[in-house]
Amino acid sequence: MGRNSLRFKLIVVLLIATIAPIVTSMIVTNAYTKQSVKEKAIQENTNLLGQSRINIVNYMNQLIDLSFSVYKNPSFIRLMDLGFRGYQSEAEIKNLIRTIAVNREVFQVYMNILERNPGEDRSFLLTNNTVIRPSPEVTMPLNPLIKPGSYEAVVETTHTSHDYGLSLLAYFTPREVLTIHRAIYRVPSMEHIGSLSVDFPLDTLSGLLHQLLNDQEEAYLLDSEGRLIYSSVPGVKFGWKLQDPWVEQMLQASDTHGTMEDKSSIHLYEKIETPYMNWYLVKKVPYEQLYRGARELTQIQFLILGILLFVVAGLTLWISVRFTRPIKELIGYINIIQTGQLDVDIQVRTKDEIGILARRFRLMMDTINDLITREYKLGLANKTNQLKALQAQINPHFLYNSLQSIGTLALQHQAPKVYHLISTLAKMMRYSMNTSESLVPLRKEVEHAKAYLELQQQRFENELTVGYHIDEATVDCVLPKMTLQPLIENYFKHGFDPRENPGELIISSRLLADGSVELTVEDNGRGMSDEALQELSLRLAQSDPAAEAADPGHLGESIGLKNVKNRLELHFNHTAVLFLEHREPTGLRITLRFPSTPLGGSTL
């Protein structure tokens, strides 16, 4: 199967027509799916970040309220009125610290009281449910972020827990913590009497952030300067500023939420703003995770495409073979015909267009065979007629000269009528024996018929009347030679009987509206019965022009009519007709119709 074969081209076209739309659809679907997944993921994660922001704010508000609870403690209120001096107040301070540390979110609590007597402890640290008292000289300075005269707390972002300058007798493992610092004032005088610092582990924040995440996703909590408060990525050091490009882009943005994209992932952020913190909640979604569903869908589509390709290839091959096999069979028959075997039996049994083409080709070959046979038989008939004419032409010049001598002798004996009849007979013989013409104009046929009928009128004298109604528009139209005389002879052979009544013969022609010529010969002879007329018409209709032209011996009594009909059909390719009908009150009418073709021209 070469590249130029119809089967190869059909397979390629079918594969392209089938696979190209599918692949295009997959590409468009994949792009659309990715875009849809991306938009949906951004919307869903934006909603999640918004909810997480609310959860973080609520959690931090709880921690702020916990640090503010000292102002709600009755013992602390009483100490503010009575003062913090004396050993009795120290027990109240420890109880207050333990009350704050009861909350499970608290890692350690540090309280510094400035209003103490010399030699009394000023700093107290509760770690692992143990209160540590340092020497009276140890006092942690107030956190510089606390505004003087303000009750607002300050949040110190993630750092490693420490002992606030106290020398611990026992070792406690440090942890990453958030610290809330608050100044303590005597109410309502706003006298600064100390400070409170509460350390909180990151466990709860970690839980809140991990609620945002799926596989391979990351979460970050940053302060307003880009320092890391918390990250879900293991091994990242908290409290350091991240140097990733998206951090600076986010810090410079004025929107409270948004998205940032790079080559490998999408970063979605939500800004958290309260009086005590200005943080950024960030979620990183890798494209690998984001498009996992789309990628799996694409893989399934490619699997389906592979199966479909296999099926399409099989169907395409089957269709192409089924489509081209009849064509190859037809080409095989054509090759056989080229060798000269024109009667090959073409058997293509499909009912589609190829089958129709094969059947039409078979009909065409049958027609060609018929035409070849017809031309062969017609040529054989012409050769036979020419041979018979040659046999009949026994020195025609001798006959013409002899008739001319007889005519001259008749004139010498004062017999001009005899001379005229002999000249008419010579003219008839010259016309009938001239084999150089096969088609003649109607004018010559009429002249020949007049010569023949003139001799017949001389024979029957007053017993025969002849009439001519020839349309001048038809006299130049050609027809086979010796067409009219056999029709006239038919009357004298079978219909003329002068004993019954004088004979009448009418010859007429006219040009019909469709351009054909109608030639009629009618008489008042004995005519024919209905049965005889029907039988003769049937015999004329069933005759084979080529076979009868080659072998006229089997025609019997109707040889003249059949000869005329067959020669008309052979010369005019079955467009000429001959039919017989009764003539009222008696007689027979013979009508010929044939195309009006002038001599040497085409049909009018």
Side-chain angles (χ1 to χ4, degrees):
M1 181 176 63
R3 292 186 176 182
N4 294 325
S5 68
L6 180 61
R7 180 176 297 179
F8 177 80
K9 294 178 180 178
L10 182 62
I11 291 175
V12 172
V13 169
L14 288 176
L15 288 177
I16 292 176
T18 305
I19 296 174
I22 297 176
V23 173
T24 303
S25 175
M26 288 178 57
I27 294 174
V28 173
T29 302
N30 185 54
Y32 177 77
T33 302
K34 282 188 174 182
Q35 184 64 26
S36 299
V37 167
K38 178 180 174 181
E39 293 175 356
K40 184 178 180 181
I42 291 175
Q43 182 62 42
E44 291 179 351
N45 284 288
T46 300
N47 295 337
L48 285 175
L49 287 174
Q51 184 61 46
S52 295
R53 179 186 63 81
I54 295 174
N55 294 337
I56 292 174
V57 170
N58 291 336
Y59 171 68
M60 293 302 297
N61 286 338
Q62 292 177 9
L63 301 185
I64 295 296
D65 290 342
L66 180 62
S67 68
F68 194 74
S69 64
V70 294
Y71 290 101
K72 301 176 183 179
N73 188 287
S75 298
F76 185 76
I77 295 173
R78 185 169 55 82
L79 287 175
M80 282 193 298
D81 292 337
L82 300 177
F84 291 89
R85 296 179 177 87
Y87 292 101
Q88 187 176 1
S89 63
E90 182 176 326
E92 294 290 341
I93 293 171
K94 292 180 180 179
N95 289 334
L96 177 60
I97 293 174
R98 287 191 177 94
T99 300
I100 296 173
V102 168
N103 192 297
R104 63 179 183 177
E105 298 293 337
V106 176
F107 174 64
Q108 61 183 11
V109 181
Y110 169 77
M111 181 176 285
N112 178 255
I113 301 297
L114 300 177
E115 192 182 76
R116 296 284 286 169
N117 291 323
E120 294 180 346
D121 295 333
R122 297 177 181 273
S123 297
F124 301 89
L125 177 65
L126 188 147
T127 300
N128 286 350
N129 206 26
T130 301
V131 177
I132 301 171
R133 295 183 303 162
S135 61
E137 290 78 12
V138 177
T139 300
M140 287 293 293
L142 188 65
N143 191 290
L145 297 177
I146 296 177
K147 298 178 182 179
S150 173
Y151 287 102
E152 293 182 0
V154 173
V155 178
E156 182 181 356
T157 57
T158 305
H159 61 281
T160 304
S161 62
H162 53 81
D163 58 5
Y164 290 88
L166 304 178
S167 298
L168 302 180
L169 298 177
Y171 175 76
F172 298 100
T173 303
R175 298 181 63 180
E176 299 295 330
V177 294
L178 287 173
T179 301
I180 296 178
H181 301 282
R182 180 182 293 280
I184 301 176
Y185 299 97
R186 178 174 281 113
V187 180
S189 65
M190 292 297 293
E191 177 187 355
H192 183 216
I193 59 176
S195 64
L196 175 67
S197 298
V198 184
D199 294 341
F200 299 95
L202 303 179
D203 297 342
T204 301
L205 276 179
S206 174
L208 292 176
L209 265 64
H210 277 83
Q211 290 178 357
L212 292 170
L213 304 180
N214 293 316
D215 293 340
Q216 300 181 5
E217 295 179 346
E218 300 174 4
Y220 301 89
L221 194 60
L222 307 175
D223 65 9
S224 59
E225 296 181 0
R227 288 191 295 268
L228 189 62
I229 299 173
Y230 179 79
S231 172
S232 63
V233 180
V236 177
K237 190 172 183 179
F238 300 150
W240 291 70
K241 184 175 181 179
L242 293 181
Q243 301 300 322
D244 295 344
W246 59 267
V247 176
E248 195 64 31
Q249 182 181 352
M250 178 186 67
L251 296 177
Q252 294 177 359
S254 59
D255 297 332
T256 58
H257 63 273
T259 60
M260 298 162 292
E261 298 185 39
D262 55 26
K263 295 181 179 180
S264 61
S265 58
I266 299 177
H267 295 81
L268 301 96
Y269 70 90
E270 186 82 19
K271 193 173 184 180
I272 305 175
E273 290 183 302
T274 66
Y276 50 85
M277 63 180 178
N278 187 9
W279 293 354
Y280 290 90
L281 176 61
V282 183
K283 181 177 181 180
K284 178 181 178 181
V285 182
Y287 289 135
E288 179 74 16
Q289 167 64 20
L290 181 64
Y291 297 139
R292 177 183 297 174
R295 187 170 58 254
E296 292 175 353
L297 177 61
T298 302
Q299 291 174 352
I300 294 173
Q301 288 178 334
F302 273 108
L303 177 61
I304 295 174
L305 176 62
I307 297 173
L308 184 61
L309 179 61
F310 179 77
V311 174
V312 168
L315 289 176
T316 300
L317 183 61
W318 180 78
I319 291 173
S320 64
V321 170
R322 187 174 180 84
F323 181 78
T324 57
R325 182 174 58 191
I327 298 178
K328 287 196 170 185
E329 292 177 355
L330 187 58
I331 293 174
Y333 289 126
I334 293 174
N335 292 333
I336 295 174
I337 292 172
Q338 284 181 333
T339 62
Q341 187 178 344
L342 301 181
D343 58 347
V344 61
D345 186 16
I346 300 175
Q347 295 292 336
V348 178
R349 303 184 183 278
T350 58
K351 297 182 180 180
D352 53 13
E353 289 80 359
I354 303 299
I356 295 174
L357 175 63
R359 287 188 287 274
R360 294 292 177 85
F361 185 77
R362 182 172 58 194
L363 291 175
M364 182 187 71
M365 290 307 304
D366 292 341
T367 303
I368 292 174
N369 285 329
D370 290 342
L371 290 175
I372 292 174
T373 303
R374 187 183 303 275
E375 290 297 324
Y376 170 76
K377 292 181 178 180
L378 182 59
L380 182 61
N382 289 334
K383 294 294 183 181
T384 302
N385 291 334
Q386 289 177 8
L387 179 60
K388 290 181 179 180
L390 289 174
Q391 292 173 350
Q393 290 178 352
I394 304 173
N395 200 352
H397 293 289
F398 171 75
L399 292 176
Y400 298 152
N401 293 334
S402 298
L403 290 174
Q404 189 65 35
S405 298
I406 295 172
T408 302
L409 183 61
L411 283 177
Q412 292 175 354
H413 288 79
Q414 303 299 318
K417 185 66 173 177
V418 175
Y419 174 79
H420 177 71
L421 293 175
I422 291 175
S423 298
T424 301
L425 178 59
K427 184 189 299 184
M428 285 183 57
M429 292 179 64
R430 186 180 299 111
Y431 180 78
S432 61
M433 292 183 179
N434 183 10
T435 60
S436 62
E437 294 179 316
S438 59
L439 294 175
V440 295
L442 179 59
R443 178 186 294 106
K444 287 189 176 183
E445 280 291 287
V446 173
E447 290 175 355
H448 179 67
K450 286 181 178 180
Y452 172 76
L453 288 173
E454 187 174 350
L455 293 175
Q456 293 289 12
Q457 284 179 315
Q458 178 63 34
R459 174 185 174 188
F460 296 107
E461 296 183 348
N462 297 327
E463 300 297 330
L464 177 63
T465 303
V466 180
Y468 300 95
H469 305 287
I470 305 301
D471 188 350
E472 286 296 324
T474 64
V475 295
D476 291 326
C477 297
V478 298
L479 71 166
K481 186 178 178 181
M482 298 300 291
T483 296
L484 186 56
Q485 181 185 338
L487 304 182
I488 299 172
E489 286 182 353
N490 185 73
Y491 166 61
F492 290 103
K493 285 183 179 181
H494 306 291
F496 180 61
D497 188 357
R499 295 172 297 179
E500 295 181 1
N501 60 316
E504 181 184 17
L505 190 66
I506 299 175
I507 302 171
S508 59
S509 70
R510 61 174 180 154
L511 189 64
L512 301 179
D514 61 357
S516 61
V517 177
E518 182 180 85
L519 180 61
T520 305
V521 177
E522 52 184 312
D523 61 71
N524 65 342
R526 289 192 298 267
M528 303 177 67
S529 64
D530 292 338
E531 293 78 6
L533 181 61
Q534 184 176 1
E535 181 183 357
L536 180 57
S537 298
L538 183 61
R539 290 171 60 189
L540 291 175
Q542 294 177 346
S543 62
D544 182 359
E548 293 174 0
D551 184 17
H554 71 286
L555 297 176
E557 296 180 354
S558 58
I559 180 173
L561 295 179
K562 284 192 175 183
N563 183 276
V564 171
K565 174 181 176 295
N566 292 339
R567 288 191 294 120
L568 285 172
E569 290 184 352
L570 287 172
H571 284 289
F572 292 109
N573 195 21
H574 295 278
T575 58
V577 295
L578 182 151
F579 57 90
L580 294 79
E581 56 186 338
H582 293 296
R583 180 178 184 270
E584 298 298 335
T586 61
L588 184 68
R589 180 183 293 111
I590 303 174
T591 303
L592 302 180
R593 287 179 186 166
F594 54 90
S596 56
T597 307
L599 187 63
S602 58
T603 303
L604 294 177

